[in-house]
Amino acid sequence: MSLAPVSKRWLVLAAALLLPACTTTGTPPGAAVARSPQAGEGIVSAADPRAAAAGVEILRKGGSATDAAIATMLVLNVVEPQNSGIGGGLFFVRTDRSGALTTVDGRETAPAAATPEWFLAPDGKPLPSRELQTGARSAGVPGALAAMASAHKRFGKLPWADLFAPAIRLANDGFTVSARMHNGLKLYGRHVTGWARQTYFPDGAQPVATGSTIRVPLFAQTLQRIAREGAAPFYRGGSAARIAGALSGAEQRPSPMTAQDIGSYRARDRQPICATYRVYRICGMGPPSSGGITVLMILKQLERFDMAGLGRNSPVAWHLLAESERLAYADRDMYLGDPDFVQVPVPGLLDPAYLASRSALIGEGQSLASIEPGKPKGAPERKRVAFKDDPGTTHLSAADAAGEVVTVTTTINGYFGSGIAVDGYMLNNELPDFDATPAKDGYLVANRVEGGKRPRSSMAPTIVYGPDGKVRLAIGAAGGSTIICQIAKALIGVLDWNMSAQDAIAMGLVFAPGSKGGVIEEGTELVAMLPQLQALGETLKVAPLGLKANAIEYVDGRWVGAADPRSEGVAMDTGGHVTVIKRRVNELNGAHE
Ligand code: GLU
């Protein structure tokens, strides 16, 4: 059976969006590169320097890591509108000094009227990817704001309105268009409509230029309203009517989403998913994300191998990682979905005996001919019946001086989401994260579309505790189904290969989600290993991957930030220290400032 094929569109987009210089970020306006961070200071790592600066501004005002994360997300909505925003969803993972963990699910939901045939053409076949990925029927009910409000209510220190100030300022005064935003518009912005088209394509044809300044006053007004009135009115009255109206009034394939669908949205606290890997406790997001559980399965299946002894230059180590990825993705594709709708056998999938049996399939000397899902305890009875990821997304991590650590992955899914703009923000296109085909091999699939259900995600905001019980690392990534492999690879880099989070993120990736094959990231040190990997039976091809991870790690009594050199990301701390990433992905030995 074919499992999670690598989307061609994803690979092409990845290539196009790699920044020319690839790795240089500037110093954010107003940020002094002054001195090394001091112990106990706060830090924010985000995909855009202006967003990280907003988070630090909030920390300096006495805000918590939760406050900083919310302010950072709101600024990302302004300056990186292609990737995330209040029209989308998020997963929020938070811990404090006591080690208590909270995970909030702000994933989008399908409208109540959605059925398993949502993405099928009249002939019963899935719609072409382009149609499926854009337009009104790709949008789910947005969950990001509800999740932010739920987190703020419990963990915020500053007033809600204060968190909006940096984003409102940028939206009103204007911000500089990044190369990534310009390229995204040029290559993948054709589907944006209405307000977004007028704003991002002012002459109707050419996208706003890199380095030009644009203002988004309509979005500033929306932010001002939410700052003043809270998140609740977003989900009712005029705001909900405008979302439903934009979707039901769309020219092609209008959506039956109603104001009631929007009004009944609730962010949900979920049970965190944790396991011990060697001496570390690793925790992340549970279903409907497949991220946390699949990362842990990959690691646990590798635990019996001497990954540290093999080291990062060993083709055998990368082969083992690829095999473990394939096995874990087979189970992910079979069993993971919204736990409110399908029975997800979480304890069975993480059961040590089950993982040992899966791990026993991995051989050091030869790639498995084919991979099938396993049968963990609690696997639901499969229902016999008669009758795939896109780029976008952004990740951020923040820590405050009181020991609170927050790590959030937030998304509108594809670039500029559904392309439909309401009140100055983009509505997501998250629903194609459901399986378009409701049945496979004659059985219903767990991740089929259903009314009110949340599509399975790969997003994997993760917190790692050291043997002393203190947070060692908070990490996450964007990049569709590559997210899981990015996190597993970075964790092996830090925990087994003793790398800094920065080097582990920068290191190349082997992405092997299917039963065979996979991708070695082009332009990285791993490409030189291809002949040895082929000798181990690996049929990997070399291709670009559009990856984007961020992390913060606690080393020698201080926070150190890490941002992906493939992106414009940056980490800043409250002492004014900025991590400026200067290396290319395959230059792992150079220093960063
Ligand atoms: N929608 C994807 C997910 O939730 C993330 C999209 C991306 O990172 O590109 O898994």
Side-chain angles (χ1 to χ4, degrees):
M1 98 194 264
S2 91
L3 300 161
V6 180
S7 144
K8 278 202 202 97
R9 190 174 159 221
W10 167 245
L11 297 177
V12 174
L13 178 70
L17 292 176
L18 283 174
L19 293 171
C22 225
T23 58
T24 306
T25 51
T27 303
V33 182
R35 60 187 174 79
S36 290
Q38 305 297 307
E41 284 181 328
I43 191 165
V44 179
S45 176
D48 187 284
R50 294 157 293 191
V56 167
E57 178 183 326
I58 293 296
L59 288 176
R60 283 187 182 142
K61 283 190 177 148
S64 64
T66 296
D67 291 328
I70 294 170
T72 302
M73 281 189 268
L74 293 168
V75 167
L76 285 167
N77 196 162
V78 177
V79 300
E80 201 195 35
Q82 68 272 25
N83 288 158
S84 67
I86 61 174
L90 63 82
F91 293 120
F92 170 98
V93 177
R94 182 249 184 209
T95 190
D96 61 20
R97 236 191 249 295
S98 76
L101 258 174
T102 305
T103 61
V104 185
D105 164 6
R107 186 72 164 162
E108 300 87 336
T109 52
T115 64
E117 292 77 33
W118 187 253
F119 286 124
L120 298 183
D123 63 2
K125 298 213 175 93
L127 290 163
S129 155
R130 178 96 203 138
E131 264 183 67
L132 202 130
Q133 293 287 343
T134 57
R137 284 169 79 97
S138 68
V141 178
L145 255 184
M148 287 183 212
S150 158
H152 180 258
K153 204 165 147 196
R154 290 171 283 171
F155 311 119
K157 280 193 188 155
L158 294 183
W160 171 254
D162 289 12
L163 313 182
F164 286 69
I168 292 170
R169 210 166 51 222
L170 279 161
N172 264 331
D173 298 352
F175 65 95
T176 307
V177 173
S178 70
R180 189 170 281 257
M181 178 174 166
H182 169 80
N183 289 340
L185 282 166
K186 187 160 101 190
L187 296 162
Y188 297 97
R190 276 188 303 272
H191 66 302
V192 307
T193 56
W195 167 88
R197 177 144 291 277
Q198 287 152 22
T199 305
Y200 300 140
F201 294 87
D203 71 359
Q206 293 306 314
V208 282
T210 306
S212 61
T213 300
I214 60 167
R215 296 176 61 248
V216 286
L218 177 63
F219 188 45
Q221 279 169 30
T222 300
L223 289 172
Q224 272 156 348
R225 198 166 51 242
I226 302 167
R228 215 175 35 241
E229 297 172 12
F234 174 87
Y235 290 92
R236 32 173 221 252
S239 166
R242 285 190 293 278
I243 297 173
L247 295 176
S248 60
E251 266 172 40
Q252 282 171 359
R253 290 183 42 81
S255 165
M257 190 188 289
T258 61
Q260 197 183 339
D261 286 323
I262 299 161
S264 56
Y265 184 87
R266 297 287 175 271
R268 303 280 307 271
D269 276 15
R270 300 282 182 190
Q271 192 64 32
I273 299 288
C274 295
T276 302
Y277 177 67
R278 309 202 193 279
V279 296
Y280 301 96
R281 185 159 174 76
I282 303 179
C283 297
M285 195 68 219
S289 185
S290 64
I293 196 160
T294 315
V295 167
L296 290 178
M297 291 178 77
I298 293 171
L299 294 180
K300 294 298 284 181
Q301 289 163 175
L302 287 175
E303 206 171 21
R304 74 183 172 94
F305 297 99
D306 181 10
M307 295 300 281
L310 287 167
R312 68 178 163 94
N313 296 320
S314 156
V316 173
W318 290 97
H319 153 70
L320 294 174
L321 178 54
E323 293 284 271
S324 192
E325 288 175 4
R326 292 187 186 106
L327 284 163
Y329 272 77
D331 282 346
R332 164 204 188 253
D333 291 358
M334 174 67 86
Y335 297 115
L336 269 292
D338 182 345
D340 294 339
F341 283 74
V342 291
Q343 183 190 331
V344 184
V346 175
L349 288 167
L350 289 179
D351 176 53
Y354 175 71
L355 288 164
S357 72
R358 297 291 281 169
S359 175
L361 300 172
I362 303 176
E364 290 196 23
Q366 184 59 40
S367 182
L368 280 161
S370 76
I371 285 178
E372 294 293 332
K375 193 116 182 57
K377 267 190 219 134
E381 207 45 54
R382 296 178 71 200
K383 285 192 196 136
R384 226 181 209 299
V385 283
F387 31 28
K388 111 327 39 64
D389 285 336
D390 244 4
T393 312
T394 201
H395 181 81
L396 55 120
S397 300
D400 64 22
E404 183 187 39
V405 177
V406 166
T407 188
V408 181
T409 311
T410 177
T411 187
I412 50 172
N413 195 19
Y415 261 66
F416 301 97
S418 62
I420 297 172
V422 178
D423 293 350
Y425 62 87
M426 305 306 303
L427 283 172
N428 68 85
N429 66 333
E430 219 67 59
L431 298 193
D433 276 357
F434 282 118
D435 285 26
T437 316
K440 230 178 241 165
D441 305 330
Y443 291 95
L444 278 177
V445 300
N447 188 38
R448 63 189 178 276
V449 187
E450 293 179 83
K453 190 176 180 181
R454 298 169 192 227
R456 180 186 64 215
S457 169
S458 298
M459 298 194 290
T462 302
I463 290 181
V464 179
Y465 298 91
D468 59 0
K470 291 196 182 128
V471 175
R472 166 74 182 83
L473 180 74
I475 188 167
S481 60
T482 70
I483 290 172
I484 292 164
C485 298
Q486 291 184 66
I487 302 304
K489 177 264 294 184
L491 292 181
I492 287 169
V494 174
L495 308 180
D496 283 328
W497 297 339
N498 215 13
M499 300 168 84
S500 66
Q502 182 59 50
D503 282 348
I505 285 174
M507 179 167 59
L509 183 71
V510 169
F511 176 51
S515 70
K516 246 348 228 176
V519 175
I520 294 189
E521 188 186 359
E522 190 177 283
T524 66
E525 67 287 357
L526 299 182
V527 175
M529 281 183 203
L530 191 57
Q532 289 120 301
L533 286 164
Q534 281 166 341
L536 291 163
E538 293 287 349
T539 52
L540 299 162
K541 63 181 181 204
V542 177
L545 289 167
L547 313 177
K548 191 173 78 170
N550 289 76
I552 53 173
E553 62 173 333
Y554 202 66
V555 188
D556 297 334
R558 68 184 181 110
W559 285 109
V560 180
D564 205 312
R566 303 164 185 83
S567 77
E568 290 142 337
V570 67
M572 291 177 64
D573 74 14
T574 44
H577 184 270
V578 183
T579 307
V580 181
I581 315 299
K582 286 196 171 153
R583 288 159 303 158
R584 300 182 66 82
V585 287
N586 53 357
E587 292 170 355
L588 286 180
N589 299 321
H592 63 276
E593 295 161 13

PDB file of all heavy atoms in Angstrom, residues 57 69 172 390 411 483:
ATOM      1  N   GLU A  57       9.602  42.139  23.430  1.00  0.00           N
ATOM      2  CA  GLU A  57       9.003  43.386  23.964  1.00  0.00           C
ATOM      3  C   GLU A  57       8.005  43.047  25.076  1.00  0.00           C
ATOM      4  O   GLU A  57       7.986  43.697  26.139  1.00  0.00           O
ATOM      5  CB  GLU A  57       8.302  44.111  22.798  1.00  0.00           C
ATOM      6  CG  GLU A  57       7.586  45.386  23.167  1.00  0.00           C
ATOM      7  CD  GLU A  57       6.860  45.995  21.952  1.00  0.00           C
ATOM      8  OE1 GLU A  57       7.343  45.885  20.808  1.00  0.00           O
ATOM      9  OE2 GLU A  57       5.773  46.583  22.179  1.00  0.00           O
ATOM     10  N   ALA A  69       4.318  34.443  23.389  1.00  0.00           N
ATOM     11  CA  ALA A  69       3.984  33.588  22.241  1.00  0.00           C
ATOM     12  C   ALA A  69       2.785  34.161  21.485  1.00  0.00           C
ATOM     13  O   ALA A  69       2.764  34.172  20.248  1.00  0.00           O
ATOM     14  CB  ALA A  69       3.680  32.171  22.723  1.00  0.00           C
ATOM     15  N   ASN A 172      -0.595  49.015  10.994  1.00  0.00           N
ATOM     16  CA  ASN A 172      -0.944  50.412  10.705  1.00  0.00           C
ATOM     17  C   ASN A 172       0.203  51.182  10.072  1.00  0.00           C
ATOM     18  O   ASN A 172       0.037  51.894   9.080  1.00  0.00           O
ATOM     19  CB  ASN A 172      -1.321  51.131  12.005  1.00  0.00           C
ATOM     20  CG  ASN A 172      -2.822  51.149  12.211  1.00  0.00           C
ATOM     21  OD1 ASN A 172      -3.585  51.139  11.238  1.00  0.00           O
ATOM     22  ND2 ASN A 172      -3.243  51.156  13.467  1.00  0.00           N
ATOM     23  N   ASP A 390       1.138  20.106   2.350  1.00  0.00           N
ATOM     24  CA  ASP A 390       1.513  21.362   1.690  1.00  0.00           C
ATOM     25  C   ASP A 390       2.285  22.283   2.610  1.00  0.00           C
ATOM     26  O   ASP A 390       2.194  22.187   3.816  1.00  0.00           O
ATOM     27  CB  ASP A 390       0.246  22.064   1.246  1.00  0.00           C
ATOM     28  CG  ASP A 390       0.178  22.174  -0.246  1.00  0.00           C
ATOM     29  OD1 ASP A 390       1.080  21.645  -0.896  1.00  0.00           O
ATOM     30  OD2 ASP A 390      -0.743  22.803  -0.736  1.00  0.00           O
ATOM     31  N   THR A 411      -0.687  27.513  11.881  1.00  0.00           N
ATOM     32  CA  THR A 411      -0.719  27.339  10.427  1.00  0.00           C
ATOM     33  C   THR A 411      -2.031  27.804   9.813  1.00  0.00           C
ATOM     34  O   THR A 411      -3.067  27.814  10.486  1.00  0.00           O
ATOM     35  CB  THR A 411      -0.526  25.840  10.083  1.00  0.00           C
ATOM     36  OG1 THR A 411      -0.391  25.691   8.677  1.00  0.00           O
ATOM     37  CG2 THR A 411      -1.673  24.979  10.572  1.00  0.00           C
ATOM     38  N   ILE A 483       7.451  17.612   8.996  1.00  0.00           N
ATOM     39  CA  ILE A 483       7.640  18.147  10.351  1.00  0.00           C
ATOM     40  C   ILE A 483       8.118  17.040  11.293  1.00  0.00           C
ATOM     41  O   ILE A 483       9.062  17.207  12.067  1.00  0.00           O
ATOM     42  CB  ILE A 483       6.330  18.765  10.882  1.00  0.00           C
ATOM     43  CG1 ILE A 483       5.993  20.048  10.134  1.00  0.00           C
ATOM     44  CG2 ILE A 483       6.439  19.030  12.395  1.00  0.00           C
ATOM     45  CD1 ILE A 483       4.614  20.622  10.457  1.00  0.00           C
TER      46      ILE A 483
END
